[in-house]
Amino acid sequence: MEQLNQTIQSLGQLLKDKKIALGVCGSVAIYKSLELIRILQKLGASVRVVMSKGAQDFIQPLLFEAISHHSVLTQNTQSWGEIPHNHIELATWADAFVIAPCSANTLNKIAYGIADNVLLESFLAFDKIKLIAPAANTKMLENKATMESLAILQQREMALIAPQCKELACQTIGNGALAEPLEIAYQILRAFYQNPFWKQACVCVSGGSSKESIDAVRYLSNDSSGKMGASIALAAYFLGAKVEFISSKFPFILPLEITIKKVESTQEYLKAIQQWQKLESKTQNFLFMSAAISDYIPKNQIKEKLKKQELGQVWNLSLIENQDILATLSKTQKTIGFKLESKDGIQNAKEALKNKGLDAICLNTITQEHNPLNANNNQLLWMSNTLTKDLGLCDKLSLAFKILEQAEHL
C-alpha cells in the first residue's frame, strides 16, 4: 500500500482539469471502480459515472455519487430539462470515456453498435478517447463471439486494457479478472499523452545503483533511489514508446507493458543493455543511462562471509577501477548519459560528452543543501553538442518529460 501511495503521489496532477466518464457494468469487480475514481481524482481529473442496470444490482448509485461528487447517470435518471443529465450531455462533457468493468455482454454490443441502455447510448455518442477494461468469466471472454468482438475493436484502434489471469469469483483460475485500478489509470494517461514521435521509438532506461559484492553478505553501492530512471521510463511509456527499465531498485509500481529487468552488478547492467540493443531494431532507439554505476569494485570477491576475526581491527579493502559501461556500449542508438558532480561539473560533463561518444548528457549537481540521489525533486543541466539548457528545479517526473522533449530533437 505504501508503494502504491508513493506511486500515485509521484504522478502529480497529470490529469488536471481532464473530464472522464466512467461506465460501470454488472461485475463482481465493480468495487475496483471506486478505487479507480479515487486515483483519477488524485491525478486531478473530474469523474462522472454512468451505470448499467446490472451494475446497480451490485452497488447503489449513491455510493458512486458520494465518491465522485457528481450525480450518477442511470436509465431512470436521464433528464432533458433545463439542467440536462442524459447520454448526449455526458458524451459532450467528457474528454475520455472508460468502461471498467466492461462485461462480455457490453463488449459484444459495442462491437456491433448496439445501444439498448443508457451506458451504451453514451458510449456510442462519444467520439474522443475510448478505453475498455473487460472483466468476465474465462469461458465467456474466450468464447469465439467475444474474441471476434475484441478483434473488431482492435481494428478500430480502441484501447483495450487486458484483464488479469488469476482466481475469479467463480473459484476457477483463468483470464478475465479486471485490471488493477492503477494499471487502468496508467493506460488512461498513455491515451492522453501519447506522441506520434515516441510511438515509433524504443526506449531503454537504466536506473538505481550497482551493487558490487565484497563477500557473501557485504557489497559496495551508493544511495541512488532509482526514482529518476523510473520517472523517465514512466514518461516515455505515457508518450507512447516501447520501454524497458533495467534497474536494481524499483521505487514505483510500473505499467505492465514496461519490460522490467532486475540487475545488480555492473556486468549484469551491461549484459541486459546489450541484450536490449540486439533485440530492438526500430530506427528511433534511445538509451538513457541514469543508473549510478560504481567507479570502483573490490579487487577480490569472496564467496564466503569474511569473519571479523580474520579482518582484524583495520580492514584494508583493495579496490580496482570499474569498467566504464557507458564508454563500452556500442552507440547504435541515441545515448543520453547522466553525471553527478559537486565541482567542475560543466567541464567534466563536456569531457564525458566527447570522450564517451554521447548524444547528450544530464548534469546533476550535489551540494550541502541538496542531494539528488534520493530526492523527489531535482534540477538538471541538459548538454548536447548544440545546446546547453537548465531544465529547472521540479519533481522528477516533470523533469523526465523535459528530458524526453530535448531528446526528441537530437
Side-chain angles (χ1 to χ4, degrees):
M1 181 60 72
E2 182 179 351
Q3 190 182 34
L4 175 61
N5 291 334
Q6 288 177 351
T7 301
I8 295 171
Q9 186 177 2
S10 73
L11 298 174
Q13 294 283 291
L14 285 182
L15 290 176
K16 182 175 172 58
D17 298 328
K18 298 297 184 184
K19 294 173 287 188
I20 298 174
L22 175 61
V24 183
C25 298
S27 169
V28 174
I30 195 170
Y31 69 94
K32 290 185 178 181
S33 302
L34 298 167
E35 186 180 349
L36 175 61
I37 293 172
R38 298 303 296 270
I39 291 174
L40 297 176
Q41 288 173 332
K42 288 178 181 178
L43 300 183
S46 178
V47 184
R48 288 174 57 182
V49 177
V50 52
M51 298 179 72
S52 70
K53 185 179 182 301
Q56 295 172 68
D57 292 335
F58 285 89
I59 291 182
Q60 292 296 310
L62 181 62
L63 183 54
F64 278 107
E65 290 181 345
I67 298 296
S68 70
H69 309 297
H70 287 285
S71 297
V72 171
L73 179 60
T74 68
Q75 202 71 37
N76 296 327
T77 61
Q78 286 208 86
S79 64
W80 302 86
E82 292 183 2
I83 304 177
H85 182 60
N86 53 64
H87 62 275
I88 299 299
E89 182 268 332
L90 180 67
T92 304
W93 171 84
D95 299 311
F97 201 130
V98 188
I99 303 181
C102 182
S103 65
N105 181 47
T106 295
L107 190 153
N108 285 314
K109 287 182 176 181
I110 290 171
Y112 292 96
I114 298 171
D116 60 357
N117 61 51
V118 68
L119 192 160
L120 289 166
E121 288 171 347
S122 303
F123 201 68
L124 189 63
F126 186 75
D127 61 357
K128 286 173 268 188
I129 297 171
K130 291 183 175 183
L131 302 98
I132 294 175
N137 170 271
T138 306
K139 290 184 177 180
M140 295 174 69
L141 190 64
E142 295 180 354
N143 184 282
K144 286 186 178 180
T146 309
M147 297 301 291
E148 288 177 5
S149 295
L150 287 168
I152 289 170
L153 295 176
Q154 287 176 327
Q155 289 173 0
R156 295 176 189 164
E157 297 185 347
M158 191 173 297
L160 297 172
I161 304 172
Q164 304 176 77
C165 184
K166 59 191 297 187
E167 184 174 354
L168 307 177
C170 53
Q171 297 184 328
T172 61
I173 296 175
N175 189 29
L178 182 66
E180 293 302 320
L182 179 60
E183 181 65 24
I184 298 172
Y186 275 151
Q187 298 222 25
I188 293 170
L189 284 163
R190 185 175 169 94
F192 273 115
Y193 278 87
Q194 58 185 332
N195 174 305
F197 176 89
W198 290 103
K199 284 179 71 175
Q200 304 300 317
C202 289
V203 172
C204 180
V205 185
S206 72
S209 55
S210 65
K211 296 170 65 174
E212 308 297 339
S213 297
I214 298 172
D215 64 9
V217 296
R218 301 178 179 92
Y219 59 85
L220 287 177
S221 191
N222 57 65
D223 201 30
S224 176
S225 64
K227 291 178 182 176
M228 190 70 251
S231 296
I232 295 172
L234 269 175
Y237 169 79
F238 293 149
L239 291 172
K242 180 182 178 183
V243 182
E244 182 165 316
F245 183 47
I246 300 169
S247 183
S248 61
K249 298 179 182 178
F250 301 89
F252 310 134
I253 302 170
L254 295 175
L256 295 176
E257 290 181 330
I258 292 180
T259 301
I260 292 175
K261 288 189 178 177
K262 181 172 175 54
V263 294
E264 291 191 347
S265 69
T266 301
Q267 290 305 310
E268 288 175 348
Y269 273 98
L270 178 59
K271 183 179 179 181
I273 295 168
Q274 288 175 333
Q275 287 177 340
W276 172 81
Q277 288 179 319
K278 290 178 182 178
L279 291 174
E280 298 307 337
S281 58
K282 288 190 177 181
T283 55
Q284 293 178 179
N285 290 347
F286 289 82
L287 173 62
F288 295 87
M289 284 290 294
S290 70
I293 305 297
S294 298
D295 293 319
Y296 289 83
I297 61 175
K299 183 177 181 180
N300 300 305
Q301 295 182 356
I302 311 301
K303 293 183 179 180
E304 300 81 19
K305 179 187 175 184
L306 293 168
K307 294 186 177 297
K308 181 179 178 181
Q309 294 85 344
E310 297 173 354
L311 298 173
Q313 291 185 341
V314 178
W315 183 9
N316 292 314
L317 179 62
S318 296
L319 304 176
I320 58 173
E321 188 175 1
N322 194 13
Q323 179 183 12
D324 188 333
I325 65 172
L326 189 53
T328 303
L329 287 165
S330 62
K331 305 303 187 293
T332 57
Q333 69 288 305
K334 299 292 184 182
T335 306
I336 296 89
F338 284 71
K339 196 166 187 61
L340 175 64
E341 296 286 351
S342 57
K343 62 179 181 179
D344 301 326
I346 293 179
Q347 182 59 37
N348 292 336
K350 285 182 178 179
E351 291 177 3
L353 184 65
K354 178 181 177 182
N355 297 336
K356 298 183 181 182
L358 305 178
D359 295 284
I361 193 164
C362 296
L363 175 62
N364 292 272
T365 300
I366 186 170
T367 66
Q368 291 182 347
E369 295 78 23
H370 179 66
N371 183 346
L373 282 178
N374 201 24
N376 293 322
N377 299 326
N378 196 16
Q379 183 171 4
L380 286 175
L381 191 67
W382 169 274
M383 299 176 66
S384 68
N385 292 321
T386 58
L387 177 68
T388 297
K389 183 175 182 179
D390 187 345
L391 300 185
L393 177 64
C394 57
D395 66 272
K396 288 186 175 179
L397 185 57
S398 297
L399 195 57
F401 277 110
K402 292 181 180 182
I403 291 169
L404 289 162
E405 182 182 2
Q406 297 304 319
E408 189 175 332
H409 302 291
L410 288 174

